[in-house]
mmCIF file of all heavy atoms in Angstrom:
data_model
loop_
_atom_site.group_PDB
_atom_site.id
_atom_site.type_symbol
_atom_site.label_atom_id
_atom_site.label_comp_id
_atom_site.label_asym_id
_atom_site.label_seq_id
_atom_site.Cartn_x
_atom_site.Cartn_y
_atom_site.Cartn_z
ATOM 1 N N LYS A 2 -25.990 -47.182 -13.820
ATOM 2 C CA LYS A 2 -24.627 -46.765 -13.559
ATOM 3 C C LYS A 2 -24.543 -45.249 -13.601
ATOM 4 O O LYS A 2 -25.286 -44.595 -14.332
ATOM 5 C CB LYS A 2 -23.686 -47.375 -14.603
ATOM 6 C CG LYS A 2 -23.565 -48.891 -14.503
ATOM 7 C CD LYS A 2 -22.597 -49.407 -15.536
ATOM 8 C CE LYS A 2 -22.447 -50.920 -15.432
ATOM 9 N NZ LYS A 2 -21.519 -51.454 -16.460
ATOM 10 N N GLU A 3 -23.595 -44.700 -12.843
ATOM 11 C CA GLU A 3 -23.458 -43.251 -12.794
ATOM 12 C C GLU A 3 -22.935 -42.689 -14.099
ATOM 13 O O GLU A 3 -23.335 -41.617 -14.536
ATOM 14 C CB GLU A 3 -22.534 -42.867 -11.648
ATOM 15 C CG GLU A 3 -23.116 -43.224 -10.276
ATOM 16 C CD GLU A 3 -22.135 -42.895 -9.165
ATOM 17 O OE1 GLU A 3 -21.935 -41.705 -8.896
ATOM 18 O OE2 GLU A 3 -21.573 -43.822 -8.585
ATOM 19 N N VAL A 4 -21.998 -43.395 -14.716
ATOM 20 C CA VAL A 4 -21.425 -42.982 -15.997
ATOM 21 C C VAL A 4 -21.458 -44.208 -16.904
ATOM 22 O O VAL A 4 -20.902 -45.252 -16.549
ATOM 23 C CB VAL A 4 -19.988 -42.462 -15.840
ATOM 24 C CG1 VAL A 4 -19.420 -42.062 -17.195
ATOM 25 C CG2 VAL A 4 -19.951 -41.291 -14.872
ATOM 26 N N GLU A 5 -22.120 -44.083 -18.028
ATOM 27 C CA GLU A 5 -22.288 -45.235 -18.913
ATOM 28 C C GLU A 5 -21.633 -45.024 -20.263
ATOM 29 O O GLU A 5 -21.754 -43.943 -20.865
ATOM 30 C CB GLU A 5 -23.776 -45.532 -19.127
ATOM 31 C CG GLU A 5 -24.488 -45.966 -17.858
ATOM 32 C CD GLU A 5 -25.608 -46.965 -18.133
ATOM 33 O OE1 GLU A 5 -25.367 -47.964 -18.832
ATOM 34 O OE2 GLU A 5 -26.715 -46.731 -17.637
ATOM 35 N N GLN A 6 -20.965 -46.054 -20.713
ATOM 36 C CA GLN A 6 -20.359 -46.064 -22.031
ATOM 37 C C GLN A 6 -20.619 -47.419 -22.665
ATOM 38 O O GLN A 6 -20.670 -48.433 -21.969
ATOM 39 C CB GLN A 6 -18.837 -45.873 -21.949
ATOM 40 C CG GLN A 6 -18.377 -44.560 -21.388
ATOM 41 C CD GLN A 6 -16.854 -44.509 -21.358
ATOM 42 O OE1 GLN A 6 -16.227 -44.627 -20.311
ATOM 43 N NE2 GLN A 6 -16.261 -44.316 -22.536
ATOM 44 N N ASN A 7 -20.734 -47.435 -23.969
ATOM 45 C CA ASN A 7 -20.804 -48.684 -24.700
ATOM 46 C C ASN A 7 -19.410 -49.306 -24.698
ATOM 47 O O ASN A 7 -18.440 -48.645 -25.041
ATOM 48 C CB ASN A 7 -21.263 -48.421 -26.140
ATOM 49 C CG ASN A 7 -21.552 -49.696 -26.889
ATOM 50 O OD1 ASN A 7 -20.788 -50.664 -26.803
ATOM 51 N ND2 ASN A 7 -22.642 -49.716 -27.617
ATOM 52 N N SER A 8 -19.334 -50.555 -24.285
ATOM 53 C CA SER A 8 -18.005 -51.169 -24.125
ATOM 54 C C SER A 8 -17.312 -51.437 -25.450
ATOM 55 O O SER A 8 -16.085 -51.595 -25.506
ATOM 56 C CB SER A 8 -18.117 -52.454 -23.318
ATOM 57 O OG SER A 8 -18.941 -53.386 -23.996
ATOM 58 N N GLY A 9 -18.115 -51.509 -26.544
ATOM 59 C CA GLY A 9 -17.527 -51.762 -27.850
ATOM 60 C C GLY A 9 -17.222 -53.239 -28.040
ATOM 61 O O GLY A 9 -17.824 -54.090 -27.379
ATOM 62 N N CYS A 23 -20.974 -41.004 -24.095
ATOM 63 C CA CYS A 23 -20.983 -41.238 -22.655
ATOM 64 C C CYS A 23 -22.206 -40.523 -22.082
ATOM 65 O O CYS A 23 -22.477 -39.374 -22.451
ATOM 66 C CB CYS A 23 -19.684 -40.673 -22.061
ATOM 67 S SG CYS A 23 -19.601 -40.577 -20.268
ATOM 68 N N GLN A 38 -6.549 -45.024 -22.780
ATOM 69 C CA GLN A 38 -5.738 -46.020 -22.102
ATOM 70 C C GLN A 38 -5.360 -47.128 -23.076
ATOM 71 O O GLN A 38 -6.211 -47.860 -23.571
ATOM 72 C CB GLN A 38 -6.467 -46.618 -20.897
ATOM 73 C CG GLN A 38 -5.594 -47.554 -20.077
ATOM 74 C CD GLN A 38 -6.300 -48.133 -18.874
ATOM 75 O OE1 GLN A 38 -7.522 -48.195 -18.815
ATOM 76 N NE2 GLN A 38 -5.532 -48.553 -17.889
ATOM 77 N N THR A 86 -8.583 -47.993 -25.372
ATOM 78 C CA THR A 86 -9.837 -47.849 -24.626
ATOM 79 C C THR A 86 -9.977 -46.398 -24.197
ATOM 80 O O THR A 86 -9.034 -45.806 -23.663
ATOM 81 C CB THR A 86 -9.843 -48.775 -23.398
ATOM 82 O OG1 THR A 86 -9.828 -50.133 -23.830
ATOM 83 C CG2 THR A 86 -11.102 -48.543 -22.559
ATOM 84 N N TYR A 87 -11.144 -45.832 -24.436
ATOM 85 C CA TYR A 87 -11.403 -44.439 -24.101
ATOM 86 C C TYR A 87 -12.355 -44.397 -22.902
ATOM 87 O O TYR A 87 -13.451 -44.961 -22.942
ATOM 88 C CB TYR A 87 -11.990 -43.695 -25.307
ATOM 89 C CG TYR A 87 -10.925 -43.494 -26.361
ATOM 90 C CD1 TYR A 87 -10.579 -44.530 -27.221
ATOM 91 C CD2 TYR A 87 -10.224 -42.293 -26.454
ATOM 92 C CE1 TYR A 87 -9.571 -44.364 -28.155
ATOM 93 C CE2 TYR A 87 -9.216 -42.123 -27.379
ATOM 94 C CZ TYR A 87 -8.887 -43.176 -28.225
ATOM 95 O OH TYR A 87 -7.880 -43.022 -29.144
ATOM 96 N N LEU A 88 -11.892 -43.731 -21.873
ATOM 97 C CA LEU A 88 -12.620 -43.659 -20.616
ATOM 98 C C LEU A 88 -13.234 -42.285 -20.440
ATOM 99 O O LEU A 88 -12.548 -41.272 -20.564
ATOM 100 C CB LEU A 88 -11.677 -43.934 -19.440
ATOM 101 C CG LEU A 88 -10.945 -45.271 -19.442
ATOM 102 C CD1 LEU A 88 -9.776 -45.234 -18.472
ATOM 103 C CD2 LEU A 88 -11.900 -46.384 -19.065
ATOM 104 N N CYS A 89 -14.511 -42.268 -20.155
ATOM 105 C CA CYS A 89 -15.214 -41.032 -19.817
ATOM 106 C C CYS A 89 -15.208 -40.899 -18.304
ATOM 107 O O CYS A 89 -15.470 -41.875 -17.589
ATOM 108 C CB CYS A 89 -16.634 -41.123 -20.354
ATOM 109 S SG CYS A 89 -17.730 -39.773 -19.891
ATOM 110 N N ALA A 90 -14.891 -39.713 -17.804
ATOM 111 C CA ALA A 90 -14.864 -39.492 -16.356
ATOM 112 C C ALA A 90 -15.587 -38.193 -16.032
ATOM 113 O O ALA A 90 -15.520 -37.217 -16.784
ATOM 114 C CB ALA A 90 -13.427 -39.456 -15.843
ATOM 115 N N THR A 100 -15.630 -39.985 -11.308
ATOM 116 C CA THR A 100 -16.406 -41.205 -11.526
ATOM 117 C C THR A 100 -16.214 -41.605 -12.980
ATOM 118 O O THR A 100 -16.479 -40.808 -13.882
ATOM 119 C CB THR A 100 -17.890 -40.973 -11.228
ATOM 120 O OG1 THR A 100 -18.027 -40.564 -9.864
ATOM 121 C CG2 THR A 100 -18.677 -42.255 -11.446
ATOM 122 N N PHE A 101 -15.755 -42.829 -13.183
ATOM 123 C CA PHE A 101 -15.424 -43.304 -14.516
ATOM 124 C C PHE A 101 -16.515 -44.186 -15.095
ATOM 125 O O PHE A 101 -17.201 -44.919 -14.370
ATOM 126 C CB PHE A 101 -14.126 -44.134 -14.483
ATOM 127 C CG PHE A 101 -12.868 -43.318 -14.362
ATOM 128 C CD1 PHE A 101 -12.398 -42.916 -13.128
ATOM 129 C CD2 PHE A 101 -12.160 -42.969 -15.499
ATOM 130 C CE1 PHE A 101 -11.232 -42.171 -13.019
ATOM 131 C CE2 PHE A 101 -10.989 -42.224 -15.409
ATOM 132 C CZ PHE A 101 -10.526 -41.831 -14.165
ATOM 133 N N GLY A 102 -16.642 -44.125 -16.407
ATOM 134 C CA GLY A 102 -17.402 -45.130 -17.118
ATOM 135 C C GLY A 102 -16.532 -46.341 -17.349
ATOM 136 O O GLY A 102 -15.328 -46.332 -17.041
ATOM 137 N N GLY A 103 -17.129 -47.393 -17.888
ATOM 138 C CA GLY A 103 -16.392 -48.624 -18.095
ATOM 139 C C GLY A 103 -15.421 -48.590 -19.264
ATOM 140 O O GLY A 103 -14.577 -49.468 -19.396
ATOM 141 N N GLY A 104 -15.549 -47.564 -20.103
ATOM 142 C CA GLY A 104 -14.635 -47.435 -21.240
ATOM 143 C C GLY A 104 -15.196 -48.046 -22.512
ATOM 144 O O GLY A 104 -15.971 -49.012 -22.464
ATOM 145 N N THR A 105 -14.803 -47.461 -23.629
ATOM 146 C CA THR A 105 -15.144 -47.984 -24.958
ATOM 147 C C THR A 105 -13.863 -48.346 -25.668
ATOM 148 O O THR A 105 -12.957 -47.516 -25.778
ATOM 149 C CB THR A 105 -15.909 -46.942 -25.796
ATOM 150 O OG1 THR A 105 -17.139 -46.620 -25.156
ATOM 151 C CG2 THR A 105 -16.196 -47.490 -27.192
ATOM 152 N N ARG A 106 -13.805 -49.576 -26.154
ATOM 153 C CA ARG A 106 -12.611 -49.999 -26.889
ATOM 154 C C ARG A 106 -12.772 -49.605 -28.352
ATOM 155 O O ARG A 106 -13.754 -49.969 -29.000
ATOM 156 C CB ARG A 106 -12.386 -51.484 -26.750
ATOM 157 C CG ARG A 106 -11.039 -51.959 -27.301
ATOM 158 C CD ARG A 106 -10.623 -53.261 -26.677
ATOM 159 N NE ARG A 106 -11.435 -54.383 -27.147
ATOM 160 C CZ ARG A 106 -11.094 -55.187 -28.160
ATOM 161 N NH1 ARG A 106 -9.969 -54.981 -28.798
ATOM 162 N NH2 ARG A 106 -11.865 -56.184 -28.498
ATOM 163 N N ARG B 37 -9.520 -50.848 -10.293
ATOM 164 C CA ARG B 37 -10.451 -51.430 -11.251
ATOM 165 C C ARG B 37 -10.479 -52.938 -11.027
ATOM 166 O O ARG B 37 -9.460 -53.605 -11.234
ATOM 167 C CB ARG B 37 -10.035 -51.116 -12.685
ATOM 168 C CG ARG B 37 -11.042 -51.613 -13.715
ATOM 169 C CD ARG B 37 -10.762 -51.089 -15.095
ATOM 170 N NE ARG B 37 -11.917 -51.272 -15.970
ATOM 171 C CZ ARG B 37 -12.074 -50.667 -17.125
ATOM 172 N NH1 ARG B 37 -11.149 -49.835 -17.569
ATOM 173 N NH2 ARG B 37 -13.132 -50.888 -17.855
ATOM 174 N N GLY B 40 -14.002 -56.434 -14.952
ATOM 175 C CA GLY B 40 -15.318 -56.184 -15.528
ATOM 176 C C GLY B 40 -16.027 -54.949 -15.000
ATOM 177 O O GLY B 40 -17.160 -54.687 -15.386
ATOM 178 N N LYS B 41 -15.351 -54.211 -14.134
ATOM 179 C CA LYS B 41 -15.994 -53.039 -13.537
ATOM 180 C C LYS B 41 -15.277 -51.749 -13.941
ATOM 181 O O LYS B 41 -14.240 -51.775 -14.564
ATOM 182 C CB LYS B 41 -15.990 -53.165 -12.005
ATOM 183 C CG LYS B 41 -16.725 -54.377 -11.494
ATOM 184 C CD LYS B 41 -18.217 -54.222 -11.644
ATOM 185 C CE LYS B 41 -18.949 -55.352 -10.940
ATOM 186 N NZ LYS B 41 -20.412 -55.238 -11.100
ATOM 187 N N GLU B 42 -15.853 -50.632 -13.518
ATOM 188 C CA GLU B 42 -15.249 -49.349 -13.810
ATOM 189 C C GLU B 42 -14.126 -49.059 -12.822
ATOM 190 O O GLU B 42 -14.045 -49.634 -11.752
ATOM 191 C CB GLU B 42 -16.292 -48.226 -13.681
ATOM 192 C CG GLU B 42 -17.509 -48.364 -14.555
ATOM 193 C CD GLU B 42 -18.552 -49.309 -13.979
ATOM 194 O OE1 GLU B 42 -18.468 -49.649 -12.777
ATOM 195 O OE2 GLU B 42 -19.435 -49.732 -14.741
ATOM 196 N N ILE B 43 -13.271 -48.115 -13.225
ATOM 197 C CA ILE B 43 -12.276 -47.599 -12.289
ATOM 198 C C ILE B 43 -13.019 -46.850 -11.184
ATOM 199 O O ILE B 43 -13.848 -45.979 -11.459
ATOM 200 C CB ILE B 43 -11.294 -46.655 -13.008
ATOM 201 C CG1 ILE B 43 -10.491 -47.429 -14.070
ATOM 202 C CG2 ILE B 43 -10.358 -45.995 -12.003
ATOM 203 C CD1 ILE B 43 -9.594 -46.536 -14.923
#
Side-chain angles (χ1 to χ4, degrees):
Chain A
K2 293 181 179 179
E3 295 177 72
V4 179
E5 295 213 50
Q6 297 180 255
N7 189 316
S8 61
C23 169
Q38 186 179 22
T86 295
Y87 289 80
L88 302 164
C89 174
T100 300
F101 284 85
T105 298
R106 189 157 72 95
Chain B
R37 185 170 195 165
K41 300 288 188 181
E42 302 81 15
I43 296 174

